[in-house]
Amino acid sequence: MSLPRYKITVLALSLGVASAFVGCSSNPSKKDVVDKGPQSSEQVYFEKAIKSLERNQYTDAVKSLEALDTYYPTGQYTQQAQLELLYAKFKQKDYEGTIALADRFIRLNPQHPNVDYAYYVRGVANMEMNYDSLIRYTSLQQSHRDVSYVKVAYQNFVELIRRFPSSQYSVDAAQRMKFIGQELAESEMNAARFNIQRKAWLAAAERAQWVIEHYPQTPQTPEALATLAYSYQKLGDNATSQQYIDILKLNYPNLVKSNGEVNLRAARKEGSWVNRATLGLLGRESKTVQTKKDEVSSDTEQRSLTNRLSFGLFDKPEAEQATPAPVAAPEAPAATTENKPSWKNRLSFGLLDKPEASNTSEDDAAN
């Protein structure tokens, strides 16, 4: 039995419209497909990228550097451009892209004189993964979240120091490792606190014991000892508990009450209820916490109330120190003019090769 004529017409029209849509979607414009090849010379690409970096125009710099890397893979500026691209990607907060580029540079240039830069920036990028402004401007800690990236960063810095013990980045890497150790210890103690809340005494003792064995020089050591004493007491092992109490009496007598019991609350240094209720914005302790984040290399400054309530948008501190950044390859040309920072000064966040004018102003300020 054949279909009515109007149904055949509708079916034909439907098939025609569907074919048109499929044809349009499968045939993108020539503008998106055709690669016109290099539009400039290698030197022009590189100089354009340098000017964009000096103006903090990282998107434009990345485009020029990627074009140079694509069209001139064995050119004069290729390795230098790859180092510059690492810096630009990091400033764009594209940490995954930074890590991938660092891995590639290490694989392709294992004997490069500045390959330690790639090792260093890879570790810093892993530290910054999953790090947001809410944690940066409150007393919330990364150690209370996923710490898998900081573990990877720790191994990156270990490899850097092992391969390049005399590298200019090794000292900073060691400081970052110290900070990561504190983060990992805090992560273990955070799990121990949770286990104590649910009365899992053995699990809490195991977490605290891990801190004592692997992170003995961290600030979490007193709380770990107190947790061990408290957990073993709850487990009924009074002999072992008393051993840890004796250690606390010798080293941290303020953590043992007059009746001989462990003052676990004092060991935790818990903040006030105002501090906890406001996610750390209010009711902070006066003592600052030593951190090692993206652009902080010493004790953090005491931020004002306005700065904390605006999550760092307003009332910023006048001066913020920067962490050392990699120095580019020495064979790259200096794209500088008078009183402008050189490529070495820019890539080191102003730590190296300062312009004469800035040095003079610093001397005047000191006087």
Side-chain angles (χ1 to χ4, degrees), residues 12-302:
L13 289 174
S14 300
L15 292 175
V17 172
S19 301
F21 277 113
V22 171
C24 292
S25 61
S26 61
N27 290 288
S29 62
K30 294 183 179 180
K31 182 179 179 181
D32 298 331
V33 175
V34 177
D35 185 355
K36 298 181 179 179
Q39 302 299 306
S40 305
S41 66
E42 180 184 6
Q43 184 176 359
V44 170
Y45 271 126
F46 186 78
E47 291 177 351
K48 184 179 179 181
I50 293 299
K51 290 181 180 178
S52 298
L53 288 174
E54 290 176 351
R55 299 168 183 168
N56 298 329
Q57 298 172 349
Y58 302 114
T59 301
D60 294 337
V62 167
K63 290 180 180 179
S64 298
L65 293 170
E66 287 180 342
L68 192 153
D69 190 31
T70 301
Y71 299 128
Y72 304 96
T74 58
Q76 178 183 359
Y77 303 111
T78 300
Q79 294 178 336
Q80 176 66 36
Q82 291 173 356
L83 293 174
E84 301 275 2
L85 187 57
L86 277 175
Y87 172 80
K89 285 284 188 180
F90 184 87
K91 295 298 290 185
Q92 282 187 318
K93 300 186 185 300
D94 182 4
Y95 301 124
E96 291 183 351
T98 301
I99 294 168
L101 288 171
D103 287 335
R104 187 189 70 162
F105 189 87
I106 293 171
R107 185 177 67 256
L108 297 179
N109 308 279
Q111 303 300 324
H112 193 275
N114 293 104
V115 71
D116 56 337
Y117 164 46
Y119 283 96
Y120 173 75
V121 77
R122 181 177 62 176
V124 177
N126 272 309
M127 284 186 67
E128 291 297 326
M129 294 290 285
N130 286 349
Y131 187 73
D132 55 34
S133 59
L134 183 62
I135 290 181
R136 189 180 296 276
Y137 292 105
T138 67
S139 62
L140 298 177
Q141 299 180 20
Q142 179 69 40
S143 56
H144 294 175
R145 306 172 70 200
D146 181 22
V147 294
S148 58
Y149 287 110
V150 292
K151 289 181 178 179
V152 175
Y154 190 92
Q155 294 301 321
N156 294 152
F157 293 134
V158 168
E159 188 174 7
L160 168 65
I161 295 175
R162 181 176 61 85
R163 291 178 178 270
F164 309 98
S166 59
S167 171
Q168 59 183 317
Y169 314 118
S170 294
V171 174
D172 184 79
Q175 293 177 353
R176 290 179 181 273
M177 289 172 62
K178 182 179 179 180
F179 168 76
I180 292 174
Q182 296 179 12
E183 289 285 279
L184 296 178
E186 177 62 23
S187 178
E188 294 294 328
M189 291 311 304
N190 187 54
R193 298 179 200 119
F194 173 74
N195 287 323
I196 286 179
Q197 289 180 357
R198 66 188 188 96
K199 299 181 180 181
W201 315 119
L202 184 58
E206 289 177 348
R207 293 283 189 170
Q209 186 66 38
W210 183 269
V211 173
I212 297 298
E213 292 179 357
H214 295 87
Y215 313 110
Q217 304 298 324
T218 58
Q220 288 75 18
T221 299
E223 183 184 354
L225 291 171
T227 301
L228 284 168
Y230 184 82
S231 299
Y232 279 113
Q233 185 181 16
K234 290 296 184 179
L235 288 170
D237 190 349
N238 294 326
T240 304
S241 176
Q242 188 60 44
Q243 291 179 0
Y244 288 109
I245 290 176
D246 292 340
I247 295 175
L248 288 172
K249 288 181 179 179
L250 291 174
N251 298 277
Y252 312 101
N254 62 310
L255 302 184
V256 182
K257 299 179 181 179
S258 58
N259 59 0
E261 295 180 354
V262 177
N263 190 347
L264 195 59
R265 183 180 180 86
R268 291 177 178 178
K269 298 180 180 179
E270 295 179 348
S272 65
W273 66 269
V274 176
N275 184 264
R276 297 196 299 271
T278 59
L279 301 180
L281 289 175
L282 304 176
R284 279 189 171 188
E285 297 179 358
S286 59
K287 189 176 181 179
T288 57
V289 181
Q290 185 176 4
T291 58
K292 196 67 179 172
K293 300 297 193 238
D294 177 18
E295 295 189 359
V296 180
S297 61
S298 62
D299 289 348
T300 55
E301 299 182 11
Q302 188 70 14

Side-chain angles (χ1 to χ4, degrees), residues 161 316 327 360:
I161 295 175
K316 296 181 180 180
V327 179
T360 305

